[in-house]
Amino acid sequence: MLRYHQQTKHRFFRYAPGPGSLDWANQPDPFRRYEGAALVALPRLRAGDAPASPPYEDLFRGGGVARTAPTAASLSRFLECSLAISAWKQAGTVRWALRINPSSGNLHPTEAYLLIDRIEGVLRAPGLYHYAPREHALELRAEWPRAGVKALLQGFPPGAFLVGLSSVHWREAWKYGERAFRYCQHDVGHALGSLRFAARMLGWRTLLLNGQDDDTVASLLGIDRDEDFAGAEHEHPDALVVIWPDAGTGLALPEPISLPLCLDGVVTRDVPPRVWHGKANRLSQDEPVRWAGIEEVEAACWKSQQERSVVELRHDTGTVQAAADAGNGPGLPSAAQVIRQRRSATAFDGTTSIPADRFFAMLTRTLPRVEHDLGHRPVPWDALPWAPTIDLALFVHRVDGLAPGLYMLARDPAGVEPLRRATYKEYAWSVPPGRTDDLPLFLLQQADVRDLAAQLCCGQRIAADGVFSLGMVTRFEPSLRRCGAWFYRRLFWETGLIGQLLYLEAEAAGLRATGIGCFFDDPVHQVLGLGDLTFQSLYHFAIGAAVDDSRLTVLPPYGRAGE
């Protein structure tokens, strides 16, 4: 795993191993389908249809969201606001889809499955369903006895169901080569964030089953069935997420509730016979290009052991920090509006600025509040059952009331001193004006860092032309020593979840954001003074005022334009 991480770093004198040029004839299809599997259409809901969306700000307030039961309409709204198509774009005769959950290069390696009981009006039988975003429909992959689904979900609240995520690594490797494994993990993190925010809209909870082994994930999702993938590109198991309606919908749930972080091993070993349907479609015309580094890191990061542990959760409490409520007032957008309009910017105007209080509010929402137990962490951090591993190195360009320069945000207050010791002793680590005591943000050095930010991000001006950009720096070697090589993927998932939050925060502020996977790894470390593998930069991000391309036509996601 360490060999993969080192050899896929971009350097000033060479990029990570990649294809060199794009084989357009062999570009993978971004839509997986299972031929022969029954397609179950989900209701096409309009903006005003129930369940209605709460205001975006209510996602972060305790008690601010009405709870809904799992119904045909709520399940449709959940998937529509987490994994569906958000728009089609067209240039001339070329048309492509955008999705609610972002992806590096819009290549979408992430596939999603639901293991769920029957739902009146849409799912006539319990089973495993594959989500088909182009059709906004569910494909029945396997029929399950109802008793089997109930046994699998024992220990979870009433109404719970599972969402499984997997990755087609080839979709990213087609364009990005060996570094693609990293990008696929970013995308899993973005998908986890999309699921959490869509669930919160409905008053539902989510929890990543972090103790689950990969063999069980693959088996439950059916992606280990070679007979169903003959001639088709395989999928790699990623994550299982349990989702359930929070207390307040008439469901009598004790407070607090203890939930396991993996499924019962006896139940998963003795899964009842299932009737399987469908064969996976082939995504590329020719065989995928094999990248030895990806195959090696897949094996190195495979989670082979199930880990039994329990967490205690309480009701959704949201976050009540005053800083996070900056800008509240009448006319605020709904959560669904913010989620649907999210786009990845391709250029910023280089002039727009934001007030410092808005900047502080965005950063406040990235804090997991580790002084609280998991049940009291704010959305979306209540979905990840581990202490934060990611801090933010910020290149501040245009924040009113703040000096431009290099800043550091320690997302865990206990991490301030280790970061301070690891960086250059010449850095100031001073408290910027207007910063609240509960926001561990520090100015390292005042300077115009626009050209530096662009240079570090492979020369991309988007890192310089926004309001600010940032690098997500992880406590790398200590985390892997503590948990094992399988946690390498989780480090990237956490960065993707941060990115998804910042995407929505940017939209709510009238701005736009973009994830930046191309950056020069070790030069970033050198700028910060990080000299070994204790800390590593895994993902970069930028926020600013977008410059739209007037040559592109935007079409609605579903209906005539998107079919």
Side-chain angles (χ1 to χ4, degrees):
M1 182 274 298
L2 290 176
R3 181 169 63 248
Y4 170 82
H5 184 72
Q6 293 291 72
Q7 75 186 21
T8 56
K9 287 182 175 180
H10 288 326
R11 308 177 191 277
F12 283 145
F13 56 88
R14 69 150 179 85
Y15 287 92
S21 61
L22 296 181
D23 182 1
W24 291 104
N26 208 34
Q27 181 177 6
D29 188 335
F31 298 107
R32 168 133 279 168
R33 288 293 309 276
Y34 286 91
E35 183 179 352
L39 190 68
V40 181
L42 293 164
R44 298 280 178 86
L45 304 177
R46 295 170 297 182
D49 292 343
S53 170
Y56 172 72
E57 290 296 325
D58 283 1
L59 299 186
F60 304 95
R61 294 195 185 102
V65 178
R67 275 62 170 172
T68 63
T71 64
S74 62
L75 183 64
S76 178
R77 186 73 83 199
F78 170 67
L79 291 168
E80 170 209 332
C81 288
S82 59
L83 301 169
I85 292 173
S86 57
W88 291 80
K89 284 195 173 184
Q90 185 165 331
T93 60
V94 179
R95 189 180 64 178
W96 62 95
L98 307 179
R99 298 198 202 177
I100 297 294
N101 57 310
S103 164
S104 302
N106 199 36
L107 297 171
H108 292 286
T110 309
E111 295 291 331
Y113 299 80
L114 276 68
L115 217 169
I116 190 169
D117 200 350
R118 65 180 299 276
I119 292 182
E120 186 175 351
V122 62
L123 302 181
R124 293 183 297 176
L128 176 72
Y129 294 83
H130 171 252
Y131 180 58
R134 181 170 52 193
E135 294 81 9
H136 189 51
L138 293 168
E139 295 179 290
L140 177 59
R141 279 285 286 134
E143 300 172 45
W144 275 65
R146 194 171 193 190
V149 173
K150 288 188 173 182
L152 193 70
L153 292 170
Q154 66 182 353
F156 297 106
F161 62 94
L162 295 175
V163 174
L165 300 177
S166 64
S167 292
V168 182
H169 293 153
W170 163 238
R171 282 198 181 121
E172 292 285 347
W174 167 79
K175 181 176 182 180
Y176 296 113
E178 279 194 347
R179 196 170 167 100
F181 182 82
R182 297 177 175 220
Y183 298 163
C184 290
Q185 308 314 311
H186 290 320
D187 289 356
V188 172
H190 281 292
L192 290 172
S194 293
L195 292 170
R196 181 63 190 109
F197 286 115
R200 174 62 176 152
M201 279 177 51
L202 299 163
W204 296 355
R205 297 292 298 268
T206 70
L207 179 64
L208 173 67
L209 298 185
N210 194 47
Q212 198 64 61
D213 61 291
D214 289 337
D215 291 292
T216 298
V217 177
S219 176
L220 290 176
L221 303 187
I223 58 178
D224 62 347
R225 292 174 52 80
D226 291 338
E227 61 269 38
D228 292 349
F229 286 82
E233 298 83 351
H234 279 252
E235 299 174 20
H236 185 281
D238 288 318
L240 277 184
V241 180
V242 64
I243 297 175
W244 72 96
D246 197 17
T249 58
L251 302 174
L253 295 181
E255 283 291 335
I257 55 174
S258 295
L259 298 182
L261 287 176
C262 64
L263 303 173
D264 189 309
V266 174
V267 175
T268 56
R269 282 193 301 270
D270 299 328
V271 168
R274 291 157 287 175
V275 180
W276 290 90
H277 303 279
K279 305 291 183 183
N281 63 325
R282 187 177 180 85
L283 304 176
S284 286
Q285 174 180 291
D286 300 321
E287 286 294 318
V289 175
R290 294 183 62 180
W291 293 94
I294 292 180
E295 294 177 359
E296 290 173 2
V297 77
E298 285 177 352
C301 294
W302 190 270
K303 184 170 172 49
S304 56
Q305 298 294 322
Q306 176 176 281
E307 298 177 358
R308 296 290 299 178
S309 56
V310 173
V311 296
E312 281 198 351
L313 296 181
R314 296 170 177 81
H315 290 303
D316 264 324
T317 56
T319 179
V320 297
Q321 296 87 2
D325 292 335
N328 289 355
L332 290 175
S334 72
Q337 178 186 339
V338 171
I339 288 169
R340 291 192 195 104
Q341 75 185 34
R342 186 217 62 81
R343 303 286 187 271
S344 295
T346 56
F348 295 136
D349 64 9
T351 60
T352 298
S353 64
I354 61 168
D357 61 347
R358 190 81 204 209
F359 175 67
F360 293 150
M362 287 183 181
L363 297 184
T364 296
R365 287 198 171 144
T366 70
L367 302 181
R369 299 295 169 190
V370 293
E371 63 270 24
H372 301 148
D373 60 33
L374 184 62
H376 280 144
R377 289 187 195 170
V379 174
W381 308 112
D382 55 348
L384 290 189
W386 63 75
T389 69
I390 307 296
D391 302 302
L392 307 182
L394 295 126
F395 301 83
V396 173
H397 308 314
R398 300 171 190 86
V399 176
D400 298 335
L402 279 189
L406 182 63
Y407 291 73
M408 183 70 76
L409 176 71
R411 293 177 60 246
D412 179 353
V416 172
E417 283 309 310
L419 273 171
R420 191 196 303 263
R421 290 194 299 269
T423 56
Y424 291 123
K425 65 179 185 301
E426 291 83 5
Y427 282 149
W429 285 85
S430 61
V431 175
R435 192 212 77 173
T436 57
D437 290 340
D438 62 348
L439 181 65
L441 176 69
F442 300 90
L443 171 64
L444 303 188
Q445 185 171 342
Q446 182 175 331
D448 183 343
V449 291
R450 289 175 294 178
D451 289 343
L452 174 62
Q455 183 184 30
L456 292 175
C457 290
C458 302
Q460 299 175 86
R461 289 303 305 175
I462 200 164
D465 291 340
V467 170
F468 66 93
S469 65
L470 59 89
M472 302 187 195
V473 177
T474 184
R475 295 155 222 176
F476 187 73
E477 206 167 47
S479 299
L480 298 176
R481 260 200 316 269
R482 184 178 67 253
C483 299
W486 60 268
F487 201 73
Y488 183 65
R489 292 152 58 198
R490 269 74 171 170
L491 298 176
F492 288 94
W493 297 358
E494 189 176 337
T495 67
L497 186 52
I498 294 170
Q500 192 63 20
L501 171 68
L502 290 175
Y503 264 124
L504 300 188
E505 285 292 289
E507 295 288 344
L511 302 171
R512 194 138 280 176
T514 190
I516 302 174
C518 186
F519 56 89
F520 294 114
D521 300 60
D522 286 339
V524 172
H525 305 145
Q526 290 160 12
V527 164
L528 297 171
L530 307 175
D532 56 23
L533 292 176
T534 302
F535 294 95
Q536 294 283 281
S537 183
L538 299 185
Y539 193 21
H540 282 237
F541 213 79
I543 291 178
V547 177
D548 294 325
D549 190 337
S550 60
R551 297 170 298 176
L552 301 181
T553 301
V554 180
L555 304 170
Y558 295 104
R560 185 175 177 183
E563 291 177 345

